[in-house]
Amino acid sequence: MRILAENHVHLLDPSELMRPEPTFADKNPSKFRDYSVDTTDPLKERVRQTYRQMHLNQTVDFVKGRREHWLKFNTIKMTVREALEKLNDLVDESDPDLDLPNIIHAFQAAERARAEFPEHDWLHLTALIHDLGKIMAFYGEPQWAVVGDTFAVGCRWGDSIVYRDESFEGNPDGDNPAYNTELGIYQPNCGVDNLLMSWGHDEYMYSVLKHNKTKLPHVACNIIRFHSFYPWHNGGDYKHLEAPQDAETKKWVLIFNRYDLYTKSEVVPDIEVLWPYYQTLIDKYLPGVLEF
């Protein structure tokens, strides 16, 4: 049993658990997790229940309400470094045997991006800050509205969404003819930028970046916004809503997800040595105190 400080927040991120998609088949097969129902497996059952609550409650009206609440950006003011350090009080129970602070995963991901693309400093910073939206968990947002795979609301749910066949039962959007068709509220090939996404840390951090007038390129913001949109970038859903420019976003999201999912290890980067480099990137692209 883990003994945790009282101010720690338990957070299980299903999107950071072992993925079954063939895109990530370089991972040790013994580490893959399927999404079958096994009520005797506590971790599988918790993941299933997280998605059940998400798929039951994430409606068009719910998403609009959360956007209205969070996009006032009046929750807290802090620097990027302060936000990263705050995430150390967030316990990601998807790695029960590793138990590394979130900031270490952030630096692991950033350093792998830096090794593969040394010329793209914007990608290094993107990897470092991609999970900062999870601070919503400290301010009353339920887990199913913070973590997990995302999907578009306002149209028929994608076929590849995990637990798709059963977990949306009772979601009123499924009975609403304005929202339950292939197009729903959208136009063909409108582009993923124009989708109303289920609410979570991805959408929130994307909005935080735009609100604070980041100098990161738009593709970096889109990596953060869509990195959990697995039904699109891995499942092949929503192609009828894609615009030509979405191919570039998808390319970079898939590159980034290699760093996000498979950099967690017991090799701990020397954060104090690395901070000066990443602070220069913060100062370049996202300086000062941010409004969250």
Side-chain angles (χ1 to χ4, degrees), residues 110-182:
E111 281 294 282
R112 183 166 172 185
R114 185 181 178 187
E116 185 169 353
F117 291 99
E119 72 278 17
H120 292 324
D121 63 355
W122 59 268
L123 185 62
H124 315 164
L125 182 61
T126 301
L128 187 72
I129 67 172
H130 72 277
D131 274 343
L132 287 191
K134 291 180 181 179
I135 67 167
M136 289 191 296
F138 293 101
Y139 302 100
E141 199 69 296
Q143 175 173 311
W144 50 265
V146 177
V147 298
D149 296 4
T150 59
F151 55 94
V153 298
C155 64
R156 182 181 180 276
W157 302 303
D159 289 334
S160 70
I161 296 174
V162 295
Y163 303 113
R164 163 71 170 82
D165 291 340
E166 59 191 40
S167 62
F168 283 97
E169 184 177 347
N171 183 313
D173 284 3
D175 296 321
N176 188 330
Y179 302 146
N180 65 8
T181 63
E182 202 72 12

Side-chain angles (χ1 to χ4, degrees), residues 21-48:
E21 289 86 346
T23 303
F24 304 110
D26 59 335
K27 189 171 173 66
N28 185 331
S30 68
K31 300 298 184 183
F32 283 111
R33 175 181 60 79
D34 63 40
Y35 287 101
S36 59
V37 176
D38 182 357
T39 56
T40 66
D41 184 324
L43 183 55
K44 275 190 177 183
E45 184 62 10
R46 186 173 176 190
V47 169
R48 187 177 73 86

Side-chain angles (χ1 to χ4, degrees), residues 12 25 50 67 84 100 157 161 203 210 212 226 230 232 275 279:
L12 173 76
T50 296
R67 293 178 65 86
L84 282 166
L100 290 176
W157 302 303
I161 296 174
E203 191 72 12
K210 293 298 187 179
N212 287 280
F226 297 118
Y230 285 90
W232 171 58
W275 256 124
Q279 189 61 53

